[in-house]
Amino acid sequence: MNPTGTVVVGVDGSPESRAAIEYAMREALRRRAWLKVVAAAQLPEYWTIAYGTAELPSPQEIIADTKRIARETLDAVVNDHPELAAVEFGIEAIAGPPGPVLVEASEGADVLVLGHRGRGAVRSALLGSVGLHTILHATCPVTVVRPTAVAEPVAAGAQA
């Protein structure tokens, strides 16, 4: 396959991000696009060491661990759905808060895919801070996926 576009997916190792990966892989397959898997590595506040907290891991360790979790999540999706193994992808772990990291990573992309974390009947109707940030600032369309609603994307003009 010769990718002709880019689908970006945000990953944090949660069940919601696993659903987002599955949806994004199906979308990349449908579009014949490159899949860019992005995990935001939130670095701890190092000033807390001065107040007697335990020694914190280095930024490099946090980034490497974040990338490992993203890879394991993607591997689990491919293991459950071998038909998605044909998707060409790259995995990046970038230090920073998820919203800005995903907005920057999605510049020039065809679509950005995120998982939705519903927190009960009322709160699940609301979008979280990362989702809201990306919808307000991303330069491409943003798709928010619920874990139970993972399905193959419907082609334009097709009836579901």
Side-chain angles (χ1 to χ4, degrees), residues 32-143:
R32 297 183 180 175
W34 171 260
L35 179 65
K36 183 176 179 181
V37 180
V38 178
Q42 291 202 9
L43 302 179
E45 300 289 334
Y46 284 92
W47 61 266
T48 60
I49 295 172
Y51 293 98
T53 60
E55 190 173 321
L56 299 173
S58 72
Q60 295 79 13
E61 291 171 314
I62 293 169
I63 291 169
D65 192 48
T66 301
K67 188 172 185 176
R68 178 190 55 77
I69 290 168
R71 179 62 197 229
E72 288 173 355
T73 307
L74 185 127
D75 288 346
V77 170
V78 172
N79 189 48
D80 290 346
H81 305 280
E83 70 278 10
L84 300 176
V87 175
E88 294 183 38
F89 65 89
I91 300 175
E92 297 179 18
I94 302 167
V101 163
L102 292 169
V103 166
E104 186 173 329
S106 67
E107 286 183 21
D110 297 320
V111 64
L112 169 61
V113 180
L114 305 172
H116 180 275
R117 287 202 177 129
R119 305 277 192 218
V122 175
R123 290 183 67 194
S124 68
L126 304 174
L127 204 54
S129 59
V130 174
L132 185 59
H133 183 88
T134 58
I135 287 171
L136 292 174
H137 300 286
T139 58
C140 65
V142 176
T143 300

Side-chain angles (χ1 to χ4, degrees), residues 12-30:
D12 65 5
S14 67
E16 294 83 6
S17 71
R18 182 181 165 133
I21 288 176
E22 181 182 341
Y23 183 93
M25 291 185 85
R26 291 187 188 285
E27 186 68 12
L29 196 60
R30 183 184 71 80

